[in-house]
Amino acid sequence: MEDDFGKALRQTAELMDRELREFLPDNNGLEKQLYNAMRYSVLSGGKRLRAFLVIQAADLFGVPRLHSTRVASALEIIHSYSLIHDDLPCMDDDDLRRGIPTVHKEFDEATAVLAGDALQSLAFEIIGDAKTHSSAEVRVQLVSKLAYAIGVRGMVGGQTMDIYAEGDDIDIVTITRLQQLKTGALITFACEAGAILGHASPPQQQALKAYAHDLGLAFQIADDILDTEGSAEELGKATGKDDAAGKATFVSLMGLDEAKIHARMLVDQAIEHLEPFGPKADLLRHAARFAIERRN
Amino acid sequence: MEDDFGKALRQTAELMDRELREFLPDNNGLEKQLYNAMRYSVLSGGKRLRAFLVIQAADLFGVPRLHSTRVASALEIIHSYSLIHDDLPCMDDDDLRRGIPTVHKEFDEATAVLAGDALQSLAFEIIGDAKTHSSAEVRVQLVSKLAYAIGVRGMVGGQTMDIYAEGDDIDIVTITRLQQLKTGALITFACEAGAILGHASPPQQQALKAYAHDLGLAFQIADDILDTEGSAEELGKATGKDDAAGKATFVSLMGLDEAKIHARMLVDQAIEHLEPFGPKADLLRHAARFAIERRN
């Protein structure tokens, strides 16, 4: 039976599908191919966990859903851009994503590069728009945080480390830093965005940031565990790739059992950080547990 | 002998080199390769015409150089990102740019994709920063305009049209629209940014936009002419590529003589739009003439 969390996550996914469709209307010009690729990627499902985190963090402060939904959409758009570029032949060279061909397989490489580029700018366009928040100060703060989370000291920095950090260089400290950038930066932005929209106090901001930090890392460790234990059917993408490529992961460095213990510890810690918010934060607590209990 | 315009353009280029270096400090972490590629591209020279336009347009309104220089840097960073991605094997597949190997040749393709991505976000980070302008309203307006100029209805849309519009589809109307997006969108942003920073009146904004519009198109026609007439030595990149690829250009559609007449007419028109600004706009007038008189 679907619990409250499952229901809320499903509703977020449905909401995102509707919202994201609005940002990418049908087009019949010569840019049609680009729009199609952007829609294909952005609307191909996914858990929408990042959107969920924005909305739930913002809900703690009673932020109008109209505002948090727009930031959530922008973040999902950034996530899509990063997946498209990550899947490129010169990067991870993946043919399958969420059970369907990756963008450069369904379209071509040039379209994949351009669709990713256009999605990045679209996210900033959405956040900059007055519909996202009446205060320019809030919007520009969101722009700054998001730009930082994407850039060389955020997600893209982490992706670079991931590509160039080969086998022996990597220890637990390095992979932790790498993953805190590669997947952690956007997850942290999700929670920070909720706090910014909600004019949270500095201690509240800190609590959410710490929560996101631990959650992001647990999420990545769980990903490594799934890559080892999961099936391609369940995941909708190739598994065991890291292992085959001789890539260091939390599982290869810690062993499977230790990785599971570590992930659980991080989730407990993430949940502790939510203490100041009381029962209002229950869905965020569920989200933390979900990060390591999911099967895909 | 160097005239006032030549001197101002050279000073802008020197200023940009100093400023851009500050945004891309040396780095010794695992992201080092990414920083190196970003610096390599951003500091590889170029005319810095876009930066010049931002600064000169802002000067019309007495905007502090501290502010206009930051926006100019952000725009040059966006221009660099677009060149890196444009040169990729799946796009224009160019080995040479400004007389040196392109980023994917000097580094590799993955680094080129990621460096472009990180440069895009860096530009938004710079514009979002309070150092760019004390008013959040102005910064967020710049973010919105820049995001629009990059995205699917701007530069990236134009690049897509350029890739998919083959031979027979293309007439003068189509190529004009294509180039107004592909190169025109950022040039228009340059002048609009000066107007936004300077709190220009709506008629002043319109005048600058119209100037940029004509200038951008003249600039592109001149590029096509250079691609036909110029030498690889002068241009620092391969010439005659469009012709070899059977690509429609202003020259192939209009003929060389007609293209030259058209470019000159656009420059005259661009200069007329500057009338309301009087002699203060003389450097912008020179910039328009330079667009079609340059040899590279």
Side-chain angles (χ1 to χ4, degrees), chain A residues 231-279:
Chain A
S231 70
E233 282 79 356
E234 279 177 317
L235 294 177
K237 61 181 179 185
T239 57
K241 273 198 70 174
D242 290 341
D243 204 28
K247 260 206 157 149
T249 67
F250 285 103
V251 172
S252 73
L253 289 169
M254 300 178 132
L256 191 56
D257 290 345
E258 192 65 32
K260 284 181 180 174
I261 291 167
H262 192 56
R264 185 150 297 280
M265 190 207 74
L266 284 164
V267 166
D268 290 345
Q269 214 170 272
I271 289 172
E272 271 171 43
H273 292 302
L274 296 174
E275 207 266 311
F277 301 106

Side-chain angles (χ1 to χ4, degrees), chain B residues 21-129:
Chain B
R21 216 172 282 275
E22 300 254 316
F23 291 121
L24 294 163
D26 264 324
N27 178 288
N28 280 308
L30 275 169
E31 322 87 295
K32 186 179 174 145
Q33 163 107 342
L34 184 62
Y35 269 105
N36 287 345
M38 291 163 79
R39 289 163 63 94
Y40 177 84
S41 162
V42 167
L43 301 176
S44 71
K47 292 175 284 294
R48 309 296 190 197
L49 184 65
R50 289 157 190 80
F52 183 85
L53 293 173
V54 174
I55 293 170
Q56 293 304 324
D59 270 11
L60 294 176
F61 310 99
V63 172
R65 280 282 175 98
L66 212 64
H67 293 167
S68 56
T69 301
R70 286 181 62 90
V71 178
S73 301
L75 182 54
E76 288 292 332
I77 284 170
I78 290 293
H79 182 49
S80 279
Y81 123 61
S82 78
L83 297 181
I84 297 173
H85 282 189
D86 248 0
D87 287 336
L88 283 169
C90 65
M91 307 269 285
D92 287 349
D93 193 15
D94 276 311
D95 294 350
L96 218 55
R97 162 79 63 188
R98 294 169 184 161
I100 58 173
T102 47
V103 173
H104 66 274
K105 280 285 167 186
E106 181 71 16
F107 298 85
D108 57 40
E109 275 186 61
T111 303
V113 171
L114 291 169
D117 290 349
L119 287 172
Q120 182 175 168
S121 63
L122 177 60
F124 286 108
E125 204 182 322
I126 291 169
I127 289 191
D129 192 295

Side-chain angles (χ1 to χ4, degrees), chain A residues 30-35 38 81 85-86 88 90-91 107-111 113-118 120-122 124-125 127-129 134 136-140 143-144 146-148 150-153 156-161 163-165 169-170 174 177-178 181, chain B residues 30-35 38 81 85-86 88 90-91 107-111 113-118 120-122 124-125 127-129 134 136-140 143-144 146-148 150-153 156-161 163-165 169-170 174 177-178 181:
Chain A
L30 275 170
E31 322 88 293
K32 186 179 172 146
Q33 163 108 339
L34 184 62
Y35 268 105
M38 291 164 79
Y81 123 60
H85 283 189
D86 247 0
L88 283 169
C90 66
M91 306 270 285
F107 299 85
D108 56 41
E109 276 186 61
T111 303
V113 170
L114 291 169
D117 291 348
Q120 181 174 171
S121 63
L122 178 59
F124 286 107
E125 203 182 323
I127 289 192
D129 192 294
S134 47
E137 189 56 64
V138 165
R139 282 179 277 148
V140 86
V143 165
S144 296
L146 180 58
Y148 189 92
I150 294 169
V152 69
R153 289 150 300 166
V156 176
Q159 288 169 322
T160 309
M161 289 172 71
I163 288 175
Y164 292 100
D169 311 347
I170 298 238
T174 311
R177 177 165 148 67
L178 184 164
L181 295 174
Chain B
L30 275 169
E31 322 87 295
K32 186 179 174 145
Q33 163 107 342
L34 184 62
Y35 269 105
M38 291 163 79
Y81 123 61
H85 282 189
D86 248 0
L88 283 169
C90 65
M91 307 269 285
F107 298 85
D108 57 40
E109 275 186 61
T111 303
V113 171
L114 291 169
D117 290 349
Q120 182 175 168
S121 63
L122 177 60
F124 286 108
E125 204 182 322
I127 289 191
D129 192 295
S134 47
E137 189 56 64
V138 165
R139 281 179 277 147
V140 85
V143 165
S144 296
L146 180 58
Y148 189 91
I150 295 170
V152 69
R153 288 151 300 166
V156 176
Q159 288 169 323
T160 309
M161 288 172 71
I163 288 176
Y164 292 101
D169 309 349
I170 298 237
T174 311
R177 177 165 148 67
L178 185 164
L181 295 174

